[in-house]
Amino acid sequence: MKRFMALQVCLAFIMLILSVFLITGCGSNGQTGHWLAVAAPTVGVVSPLDAATGVCVNKLITATFSKAMLDSTITVPGTFTLYDETAAADAPGLVTYDAPTKTATFTPTALLIDGDVYTATISTAAKDSNGNALAASIVWS
């Protein structure tokens, strides 16, 4: 009987130790891929490229993100803009977001002016599907 009780105590102690290891070994508050959820999104590819010259006046301006983005944070006015440096005014246009390709597109509503310099900006108001904003505004000319 004493041997049976000692075996039960030993098994209970082993189960307690294993439980502690399993609970503390999960890390990241038990959230798998937690670092992906908090990493700020980035823009990997822009078109036209920064400092490009000879760009067609009917060119669409695009930016491809590293993560899925919240459509509503990109298409809102002021988040993705195109500024005409020569005329010192914003170029009018519409912004769309294609979720499968993670690409935002600025479509000018009028032809761009040949010879003018344009600067595209995506502000930190753009957020990924986890609500993380760009770490800094993305700007290219």
Side-chain angles (χ1 to χ4, degrees):
M1 183 72 163
K2 285 185 180 184
R3 185 180 282 170
F4 181 71
M5 290 286 275
L7 183 60
Q8 280 183 327
V9 169
C10 184
L11 285 175
F13 184 71
I14 289 172
M15 292 192 54
L16 176 68
I17 290 175
L18 286 175
S19 297
V20 169
F21 282 125
L22 287 173
I23 292 170
T24 59
C26 290
S28 298
N29 297 326
Q31 298 176 1
T32 304
H34 179 68
W35 63 274
L36 287 174
V38 297
T42 59
V43 173
V45 179
V46 296
S47 176
L49 297 174
D50 192 27
T53 59
V55 177
C56 294
V57 294
N58 62 349
K59 178 73 174 161
L60 300 180
I61 317 304
T62 63
T64 304
F65 295 91
S66 62
K67 301 167 74 175
M69 302 297 284
L70 287 174
D71 181 359
S72 61
T73 66
I74 296 171
T75 58
V76 66
T79 301
F80 190 168
T81 59
L82 186 64
Y83 185 75
D84 184 341
E85 299 286 346
T86 309
D90 282 332
L94 302 172
V95 178
T96 56
Y97 176 70
D98 182 54
T101 62
K102 301 180 220 157
T103 302
T105 303
F106 182 95
T107 304
T109 53
L111 290 178
L112 302 178
I113 299 168
D114 189 28
D116 280 10
V117 175
Y118 292 89
T119 299
T121 303
I122 301 176
S123 76
T124 57
K127 296 180 181 178
D128 68 17
S129 57
N130 292 313
N132 302 309
L134 290 171
S137 293
I138 307 302
V139 180
W140 72 104
S141 295

